[in-house]
Amino acid sequence: MKILWFTWKDRKNPLSGGAEVINEELAKRLVKEGHEVIFLVRGFEGGQKEEVIDGYKIVRVGGQFTLYWRAYKYYKKNLQGWADLVIEEINTIPFFTHSYIKNTKIVYLFPQLAREIWFYQMSFPLNIIGYFLEPMYLWIMARNNFLVLAISESTRIDLIRYGFKKEKIEVFPMGIEIESILNLDIQKYENPTVLSLGAIREMKRPDHQIKAFELAKKHIP
């Protein structure tokens, strides 16, 4: 099967995160099963226009604000009719592939919904526009009745609230591929210890984690 995957970043992008790890772990496995996979993503300074990694191909076009238009143009010129399956990943803004890709199965992939994230990642007035537009384009997308993939039960619940049919939404477990550490010689603290591991970005609310630690200390000295 030939799979064309629309998403906003790839794993080599300096701003990549967990979604990109999931995407390319899945792609690597799809290639091992005999499928062809092409990612259409945005470019970044120093990034190659095209690159093959672990058997899947990455095509980088446009930038943060031009990706969606450039991805459409690239598809129409180079990939129209190529794919057996299109995966459209919605991470804040959709590609609206249903408006220009016909006679090809389309699957939506939602790592999350944006909503309040608009106010932490975008400046005024784009944050206001995004916040109010999201329910509208979700309603439009729900009308397509495509299969939807979500990475969490909370995202599935959110999607149902915006009109997606629950029987069309599948939640799949995330996985990564790491080598086991056979001889891990560490000394744990005697008292319970909490570790936060993740990117330090405003949208991740690290300040809330610090406050949560302070609350936990009242119960766990």
Side-chain angles (χ1 to χ4, degrees), residues 1-6 36-38 75 78-87 101-106:
M1 181 183 292
K2 296 179 180 178
I3 302 169
L4 178 58
W5 196 319
F6 288 76
E36 296 181 56
V37 181
I38 296 178
Y75 170 81
N78 301 287
L79 292 171
Q80 188 167 3
W82 175 83
D84 301 306
L85 172 68
V86 168
I87 299 175
I101 298 180
K102 307 299 180 183
N103 303 316
T104 302
K105 185 176 181 180
I106 297 175

Side-chain angles (χ1 to χ4, degrees), residues 106-159:
I106 297 175
V107 172
Y108 291 145
L109 170 58
F110 284 91
Q112 62 190 1
L113 298 188
R115 300 309 287 148
E116 290 79 9
I117 293 176
W118 287 102
F119 296 103
Y120 299 111
Q121 291 299 109
M122 303 297 290
S123 57
F124 181 84
L126 292 177
N127 50 12
I128 298 293
I129 294 171
Y131 182 82
F132 285 104
L133 280 182
E134 185 176 60
M136 298 180 189
Y137 64 64
L138 288 174
W139 184 86
I140 293 171
M141 297 174 73
R143 304 282 76 76
N144 293 322
N145 205 32
F146 295 155
L147 177 66
V148 178
L149 299 176
I151 65 172
S152 69
E153 181 63 21
S154 61
T155 298
R156 189 183 81 91
I157 293 171
D158 287 340
L159 290 169

Side-chain angles (χ1 to χ4, degrees), residues 44-59:
F44 57 89
E45 187 175 355
Q48 299 178 36
K49 295 296 183 183
E50 296 187 6
E51 189 172 1
V52 176
I53 302 173
D54 289 326
Y56 56 85
K57 184 177 182 179
I58 295 177
V59 178

Side-chain angles (χ1 to χ4, degrees), residues 29-221:
R29 287 159 172 75
L30 287 167
V31 168
K32 286 181 179 179
E33 292 177 2
H35 305 290
E36 296 181 56
V37 181
I38 296 178
F39 283 96
L40 260 182
V41 304
R42 85 188 204 198
F44 57 89
E45 187 175 355
Q48 299 178 36
K49 295 296 183 183
E50 296 187 6
E51 189 172 1
V52 176
I53 302 173
D54 289 326
Y56 56 85
K57 184 177 182 179
I58 295 177
V59 178
R60 302 183 179 101
V61 296
Q64 181 177 3
F65 298 106
T66 60
L67 164 63
Y68 301 91
W69 171 246
R70 293 287 299 278
Y72 160 76
K73 293 192 69 175
Y74 187 93
Y75 170 81
K76 298 295 281 187
K77 181 179 180 181
N78 301 287
L79 292 171
Q80 188 167 3
W82 175 83
D84 301 306
L85 172 68
V86 168
I87 299 175
E88 178 180 345
E89 184 169 343
I90 298 89
N91 219 329
T92 62
I93 301 174
F95 288 83
F96 293 108
T97 56
H98 68 272
S99 65
Y100 56 88
I101 298 180
K102 307 299 180 183
N103 303 316
T104 302
K105 185 176 181 180
I106 297 175
V107 172
Y108 291 145
L109 170 58
F110 284 91
Q112 62 190 1
L113 298 188
R115 300 309 287 148
E116 290 79 9
I117 293 176
W118 287 102
F119 296 103
Y120 299 111
Q121 291 299 109
M122 303 297 290
S123 57
F124 181 84
L126 292 177
N127 50 12
I128 298 293
I129 294 171
Y131 182 82
F132 285 104
L133 280 182
E134 185 176 60
M136 298 180 189
Y137 64 64
L138 288 174
W139 184 86
I140 293 171
M141 297 174 73
R143 304 282 76 76
N144 293 322
N145 205 32
F146 295 155
L147 177 66
V148 178
L149 299 176
I151 65 172
S152 69
E153 181 63 21
S154 61
T155 298
R156 189 183 81 91
I157 293 171
D158 287 340
L159 290 169
I160 293 171
R161 187 164 64 246
Y162 288 110
F164 288 85
K165 295 180 180 178
K166 60 182 180 181
E167 63 271 17
K168 300 293 291 187
I169 305 172
E170 296 288 344
V171 177
F172 68 94
M174 298 176 285
I176 58 174
E177 190 173 274
I178 59 175
E179 293 185 13
S180 299
I181 300 175
L182 300 178
N183 298 306
L184 185 60
D185 184 18
I186 61 171
Q187 182 65 44
K188 289 188 177 183
Y189 292 103
E190 292 183 2
N191 294 324
T193 307
V194 180
L195 171 68
S196 172
L197 178 63
I200 302 299
R201 298 179 188 170
E202 191 174 4
M203 62 172 283
K204 302 294 186 182
R205 308 314 305 271
D207 55 323
H208 282 202
Q209 296 179 49
I210 294 170
K211 291 174 183 176
F213 293 163
E214 292 298 323
L215 290 172
K217 282 170 63 177
K218 294 179 181 179
H219 302 279
I220 309 174

